[in-house]
Each structure stands twice: as C-alpha cells, then as structure tokens.
C-alpha cells in the first residue's frame, strides 16, 4: 500500500516558513501586496481566488481584489494591469484563468510586468526557467518538486514520465525535473504505447485532464505517482486523473485528490509573492 503524500501538511509547513519570512521583512520595512484580478463569476475560479486571499492573510501580506464583470473589455483589463504595474506597493499581479473568450490570455499574461509575474506564466519567466536563470517558477510544477523533496523522494537519476504538455504544467514540469537531474519523458495525446512508457517511470506525473484515466496497469510496482488533475465526478465528488484506490495498491507513494498538489500550487504562489517583496 502506497504512502500518501500529504500536500495539505507540506503546504502548511511552507506557509509557516513564509509567515516567519514576512515578519522579518516587515521588521526591515519591506512590505507588498498581491493584486488578484478575476473576470466573470466562474465558480471554480471564485474558490481559487478565495483560497489565494486566505493564504495572503495567513502569511501576512495584503491582497487587493479586483472582481470584474464578465463583459469587461480586453482594453479595460489591459489598462488595469498597466496601472497595477506602476503601483509600487503591488509586488505581484495575478489574473485568474480562464478568461472570457473575448479576451486574449496571451496578451494579458504578457502585459504583466516581469517583476510582478508571480504566476510564472510570462514568456520571459518561462525562458529564464528553461536556461536556469533566476525568476518566478510556475506554481504547480514548483509545488510538485517541493512535494517530492519534502517527502524524501530521490529525483536525481530517476526516470520521470510526465503525461501532458500544457504550458502551465506539463512543459515546465519536465524542465524542472530535468533541473533536478531526472531523466524525463514527456507524453501526450498523440503518444503511442502510452501504457508501456508509463510503466517505465520511477516517478509518474499525471497532468492530462481526464478524470480517473490512469489505472494500475499504467504504473510500475513501487513507482511514485503525482496526480495533478482535478475534476468533479458524476456524484460531484472531487477526483484526479488517476484511479486512486487502484493505483495505491502498486505505487510506493501517491498524492490524493483533493489534498495533494492543489494546496501546493497556492503555497508556491505565496513563495513567489514573498520573493517579489524580498527583491525590491
């Protein structure tokens, strides 16, 4: 039976460390705020935004909420980002995705000042990560690295298979695992022999966006399985991309959904916010 990698517990450790850091920064006169922009009232986005505000309050940094109606124009959103880029107290800007269809996400991401890109989505932030330069890391992949390290999972020299190639998780995840000296295989919807490739993994990171797709037959005995997916099943219960109960029987360690990767994403966002205050 697999050991459960507890994202709630590990994210709490990180937030407690950040809380101490924020107190020390305040003692030296360094403060800052995170601006959170939400366009429309997508229920899942509203939950994420609330969690981000709560995390800011917990570690002791100010959060500014900008809740804009669904029909907000791209121009109006760009104008707000421009104003926040200029505000000295605002050290981080986060635009909650997805955005309504009439707004170009790429244009919005690129409008955020590189120094305030605490999501780590700006092309220059991604470029810096690719070549190992300092910068903000994408929060979910950075959270997975912390989960593995703080659970004493050896990464160096191991074969890691990533399922998914999105710009937000799959690609940066592969790059960060490479940085930790793993041998990395990236698989996706066009991959042939997916099952056989997954069964070679010492560490299997699943970010494919298909509920309960990965069963025990995809997992090598003793592998570590990280489930990045989050969905609601037919009974409205949260589940991941992995058949948890089944895979738990063959893996050596596994993340649950909820309570695995999710809390880590917010912890790493807070880490990026604190980094932006430190660097001022």
């Amino acid at each position: 039976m697999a050991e459960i990698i507890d994202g709630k517990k590990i994210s709490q450790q990180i937030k407690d460390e950040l809380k101490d850091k924020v107190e020390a920064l305040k003692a030296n006169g360094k403060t800052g705020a995170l601006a959170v922009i939400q366009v429309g009232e997508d229920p899942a986005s509203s939950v994420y935004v609330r969690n981000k505000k709560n995390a800011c309050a917990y570690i002791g940094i100010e959060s500014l909420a900008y809740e804009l109606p669904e029909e907000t124009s791209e121009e109006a959103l760009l104008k707000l980002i421009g104003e926040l880029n200029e505000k000295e107290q605002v050290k981080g800007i986060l635009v909650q995705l997805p955005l309504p269809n009439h707004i170009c996400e790429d244009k919005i991401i690129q409008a955020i000042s590189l120094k305030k890109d605490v999501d780590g989505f700006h092309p220059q932030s991604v470029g810096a990560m690719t070549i190992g330069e300092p910068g903000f890391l994408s929060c979910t992949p950075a959270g997975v690295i912390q989960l593995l390290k703080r659970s004493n999972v050896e990464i160096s020299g191991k074969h890691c298979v990533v399922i998914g190639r999105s710009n937000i998780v799959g690609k940066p995840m592969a790059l960060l695992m490479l940085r930790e000296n793993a041998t990395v295989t990236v698989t996706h919807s066009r991959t042939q022999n997916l099952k056989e490739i997954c069964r070679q993994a010492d560490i299997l990171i699943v970010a494919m966006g298909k509920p309960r797709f990965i069963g025990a037959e995809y997992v090598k005995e003793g592998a570590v399985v990280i489930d990045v997916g989050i969905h609601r099943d037919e009974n409205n219960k949260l589940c991941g991309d992995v058949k948890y109960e089944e895979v738990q029987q063959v893996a050596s360690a596994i993340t649950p959904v909820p309570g695995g990767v999710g809390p880590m994403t917010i912890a790493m966002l807070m880490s990026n916010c604190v980094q932006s205050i430190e660097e001022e």
Side-chain angles (χ1 to χ4, degrees):
M1 185 71 94
E3 176 199 335
I4 295 167
I5 297 176
D6 188 343
K8 279 187 185 166
K9 187 172 136 198
I10 294 170
S11 69
Q12 190 60 49
Q13 288 169 2
I14 291 169
K15 286 190 290 188
D16 287 340
E17 290 163 15
L18 292 171
K19 193 177 184 178
D20 293 343
K21 214 179 242 191
V22 168
E23 279 177 22
L25 286 166
K26 278 182 181 167
N28 290 321
K30 285 190 165 189
T31 61
L34 170 67
V36 182
I37 304 170
Q38 182 182 354
V39 184
E41 293 176 1
D42 176 70
S45 291
S46 298
V47 171
Y48 291 135
V49 166
R50 189 168 67 244
N51 289 344
K52 286 164 187 174
K53 288 180 196 166
N54 290 343
C56 284
Y58 183 82
I59 69 164
I61 63 175
E62 188 187 357
S63 65
L64 307 171
Y66 296 87
E67 285 153 9
L68 310 178
E70 181 89 18
E71 60 275 13
T72 300
S73 68
E74 184 176 276
E75 190 182 20
L77 182 53
L78 288 167
K79 182 171 180 285
L80 173 59
I81 290 168
E83 289 165 4
L84 294 171
N85 281 338
E86 296 303 314
K87 269 195 180 170
E88 203 172 314
Q89 183 60 5
V90 173
K91 298 293 192 275
I93 300 170
L94 184 151
V95 179
Q96 184 64 42
L97 303 178
L99 288 166
N101 291 336
H102 64 277
I103 298 175
C104 173
E105 285 186 1
D106 287 346
K107 202 183 276 189
I108 299 306
I109 288 165
Q110 290 180 38
I112 296 169
S113 161
L114 201 57
K115 289 195 297 190
K116 301 186 180 190
D117 171 39
V118 287
D119 257 334
F121 291 165
H122 192 288
Q124 277 179 260
S125 299
V126 177
M129 177 181 62
T130 304
I131 58 172
E133 290 285 320
F136 296 118
L137 300 176
S138 295
C139 300
T140 300
V144 170
I145 297 289
Q146 285 299 317
L147 275 181
L148 293 168
K149 286 185 168 180
R150 289 172 186 248
S151 301
N152 299 312
V153 174
E154 182 68 44
I155 303 174
S156 183
K158 300 296 182 185
H159 184 194
C160 170
V161 174
V162 178
I163 312 181
R165 54 176 167 179
S166 72
N167 291 338
I168 289 174
V169 181
K171 288 176 191 169
M173 191 72 254
L175 288 165
L176 290 183
M177 290 300 281
L178 270 177
R179 191 190 277 195
E180 298 295 332
N181 300 315
T183 299
V184 181
T185 302
V186 179
T187 66
H188 45 79
S189 57
R190 303 290 174 87
T191 299
Q192 296 179 359
N193 307 323
L194 179 65
K195 208 173 281 183
E196 288 80 354
I197 294 167
C198 289
R199 284 182 66 86
Q200 295 167 22
D202 302 309
I203 301 170
L204 181 64
I205 300 174
V206 189
M208 66 195 305
K210 289 186 176 180
R212 294 201 176 112
F213 186 89
I214 297 298
E217 71 277 14
Y218 285 82
V219 181
K220 179 171 82 173
E221 186 80 36
V224 174
V225 179
I226 304 289
D227 188 353
V228 183
I230 187 151
H231 316 274
R232 288 205 176 269
D233 67 12
E234 59 282 0
N235 302 316
N236 207 33
K237 275 187 69 179
L238 287 172
C239 67
D241 289 349
V242 172
K243 293 175 182 170
Y244 180 78
E245 290 80 10
E246 191 180 294
V247 171
Q248 202 181 6
Q249 305 303 316
V250 292
S252 62
I254 188 169
T255 57
V257 177
V261 175
M264 295 301 295
T265 300
I266 291 176
M268 299 321 290
L269 171 68
M270 293 301 107
S271 178
N272 281 349
C273 290
V274 173
Q275 184 184 323
S276 70
I277 296 168
E278 278 179 310
E279 287 173 355
E280 274 301 302

